[in-house]
C-alpha cells in the first residue's frame, strides 16, 4: 500500500518510513502539512499518517481539507499525537481522523494500526468498484452495451441546452430495424437479440468517442452528434444504413430506416429535436423503408401513434 507520512521532525519521519517499508509498504514523506496536501493532490494516496502539530498546516486542518474533497476516493487518516485527553481525541475525530497513534510510536502498534487501515481501505475500494458497476448498469442497456434510454435522454437535454446557448449544431439520428417483429416470429427472439447486438457494434464502430449512442427501446436506436451539421449527420446516417444493408446477416437481409434532425430554425429544444427526428424516421418508414430522411427535406405531417406502431411490424 502507498502511504503518505506527514511529519515535520526528521527523526520520527525516518523511523516511520523505515518501519513501514520493512512491512512492505511504499512510503512518501512530507515534512510539513502544506507539502502533504500538495502530494495528495498529485496522486491517489489512500492512507495518511500525519502528525498533529506541524508548521503551516497542522494535522487537524489537513484532516479537514482531506474530508472536504467530497466525492473523491476515501482516504484513511491516522493522527500521530502525544495528547491522550478525551477532548483532544474528540477534536481529532471531528476533524476527520479515523485512528490515532501515540508518540513516541511503538513499531508493533504501528504495524497493527496500519493492518487495520489496510483492511478498511481494501473494503472501501471494493465498495467503490461495486458502486461504479452499479452506476454503469444504471446507464447501460444490458443486451447491446450501449447507453440506455434514460441516460440518452439526460444527455440529449444537456447537449441541446449547450448547443442552443453556444450556437453550434446538434444532430440527432433515430434508427429503426425494418420488419423486426417478423424476424422474431420467423427465427426466434435469440436471433433478434443477435441482430440488435451486432447492429449496436456497427453503430459504435462508425461514431466518434464523444457521440452518444443508445438503444432507445426495442429495435430502435438513437445517436446524438454534437457539433454536427445536417449534411454531415445525413452522410453518417447513410453510411450506417448502407453498412447495415450490406452486412452478411445469417438469417436474412436486415435493413434500417433512419430519421435525422438538426437544431436550428424551428428546433430549439430537446423535445422539438426528438419529435422532428421521430417524424423523419417514420417518413422513411412510409416511403418504403431502408432509407434515410432529414427532417428538413420533407413536409412534416403528423403521424399518428397507430400508424407508427403498424409501420414497426
Amino acid at each position: 500500500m502507498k502511504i503518505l507520512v506527514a511529519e515535520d521532525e526528521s527523526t520520527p519521519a525516518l523511523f516511520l518510513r523505515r518501519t513501514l517499508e520493512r512491512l512492505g509498504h511504499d512510503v512518501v514523506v512530507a515534512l510539513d502539512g502544506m507539502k502533504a496536501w500538495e502530494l495528495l493532490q498529485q496522486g491517489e494516496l489512500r492512507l495518511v499518517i500525519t502528525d498533529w502539530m506541524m508548521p503551516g498546516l497542522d494535522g487537524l486542518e489537513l484532516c479537514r481539507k482531506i474530508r472536504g474533497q467530497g466525492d473523491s476516493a476515501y482516504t484513511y487518516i491516522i493522527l500521530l499525537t502525544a495528547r491522550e485527553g478525551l477532548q483532544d481525541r474528540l477534536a481529532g475525530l471531528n476533524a476527520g481522523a479515523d485512528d490515532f497513534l501515540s508518540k513516541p510510536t511503538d513499531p508493533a502498534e504501528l504495524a497493527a494500526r496500519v493492518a487495520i487501515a489496510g483492511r478498511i481501505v481494501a473494503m472501501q475500494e471494493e465498495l467503490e468498484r461495486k458502486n461504479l458497476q452499479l452506476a454503469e448498469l444504471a446507464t447501460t442497456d444490458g443486451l447491446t452495451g450501449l447507453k440506455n434510454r434514460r441516460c440518452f435522454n439526460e444527455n440529449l437535454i444537456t447537449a441541446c441546452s449547450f448547443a442552443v446557448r453556444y450556437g453550434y449544431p446538434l444532430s440527432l439520428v433515430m434508427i429503426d430495424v425494418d420488419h423486426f417483429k417478423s424476424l422474431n416470429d420467423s427465427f426466434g427472439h435469440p436471433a433478434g437479440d443477435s441482430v440488435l447486438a451486432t447492429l449496436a457494434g456497427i453503430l459504435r464502430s462508425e461514431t466518434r468517442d464523444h457521440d452518444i449512442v443508445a438503444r432507445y427501446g426495442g429495435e430502435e436506436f438513437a445517436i446524438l452528434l454534437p457539433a454536427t451539421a445536417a449534411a454531415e449527420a445525413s452522410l453518417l446516417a447513410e453510411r450506417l444504413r448502407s453498412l447495415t444493408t450490406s452486412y452478411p446477416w445469417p438469417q436474412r437481409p436486415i435493413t434500417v430506416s433512419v430519421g435525422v434532425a438538426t437544431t436550428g430554425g424551428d428546433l430549439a429544444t430537446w423535445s422539438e429535436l426528438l419529435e422532428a427526428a421521430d417524424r423523419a424516421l417514420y417518413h422513411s418508414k412510409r416511403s418504403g423503408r431502408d432509407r434515410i430522411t432529414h427532417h428538413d427535406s420533407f413536409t412534416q405531417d403528423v403521424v399518428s401513434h397507430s400508424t407508427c406502431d403498424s409501420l414497426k411490424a
Side-chain angles (χ1 to χ4, degrees), residues 243-250:
L243 287 170
T244 303
T245 301
S246 61
Y247 188 85
W249 301 100

Side-chain angles (χ1 to χ4, degrees), residues 20-275:
L20 292 168
E21 287 178 341
R22 282 197 296 270
L23 293 170
H25 301 291
D26 182 12
V27 182
V28 179
V29 175
L31 296 178
D32 60 70
M34 291 303 298
K35 182 61 177 178
W37 178 243
E38 180 183 325
L39 290 169
L40 283 165
Q41 305 312 296
Q42 294 175 4
E44 189 174 282
L45 291 156
R46 303 302 296 265
L47 172 57
V48 176
I49 301 175
T50 177
D51 192 14
W52 185 311
M53 301 300 294
M54 291 185 294
L57 188 71
D58 66 21
L60 290 188
E61 191 57 34
L62 180 61
C63 288
R64 295 188 187 100
K65 289 180 77 67
I66 292 171
R67 295 295 176 243
Q69 293 181 107
D71 59 354
S72 61
Y74 190 82
T75 302
Y76 193 93
I77 305 172
I78 299 176
L79 195 59
L80 291 168
T81 180
R83 304 181 182 196
E84 299 293 338
L86 176 61
Q87 292 304 315
D88 291 324
R89 293 297 177 107
L90 289 175
L93 291 171
N94 287 331
D98 295 286
D99 201 357
F100 298 89
L101 266 171
S102 298
K103 295 182 71 174
T105 304
D106 178 74
E109 184 181 8
L110 173 63
R113 300 287 186 184
V114 169
I116 293 170
R119 291 196 294 270
I120 293 175
V121 167
M123 288 188 292
Q124 183 66 28
E125 288 175 339
E126 177 66 11
L127 179 61
E128 291 166 5
R129 185 184 65 80
K130 289 182 177 179
N131 284 339
L132 285 174
Q133 290 179 337
L134 289 173
E136 182 68 18
L137 288 172
T139 61
T140 303
D141 174 65
L143 174 64
T144 64
L146 301 178
K147 298 300 183 183
N148 60 24
R149 181 169 182 164
R150 176 182 176 182
C151 178
F152 182 83
N153 283 339
E154 291 173 352
N155 280 276
L156 172 62
I157 293 169
T158 301
C160 197
S161 175
F162 274 93
V164 172
R165 181 181 304 172
Y166 297 107
Y168 63 76
L170 174 70
S171 290
L172 172 60
V173 178
M174 301 293 291
I175 301 170
D176 191 88
V177 180
D178 296 327
H179 303 295
F180 188 73
K181 183 178 184 301
S182 67
L183 174 74
N184 278 335
D185 292 342
S186 300
F187 301 100
H189 287 281
D193 289 349
S194 177
V195 166
L196 296 178
T198 301
L199 180 55
I202 294 172
L203 301 183
R204 269 196 305 263
S205 68
E206 295 299 317
T207 49
R208 304 164 297 187
D209 290 343
H210 62 275
D211 296 331
I212 305 297
V213 186
R215 183 184 179 193
Y216 202 69
E219 68 273 23
E220 194 168 5
F221 296 83
I223 306 174
L224 197 59
L225 304 170
T228 305
E232 297 168 301
S234 295
L235 285 173
L236 172 64
E238 173 56 28
R239 185 164 75 251
L240 295 173
R241 184 208 62 79
S242 177
L243 287 170
T244 303
T245 301
S246 61
Y247 188 85
W249 301 100
Q251 284 83 22
R252 72 180 193 194
I254 300 295
T255 64
V256 292
S257 297
V258 187
V260 186
T262 305
T263 54
D266 60 337
L267 302 183
T269 67
W270 68 268
S271 58
E272 291 169 345
L273 183 66
L274 182 60
E275 184 180 354

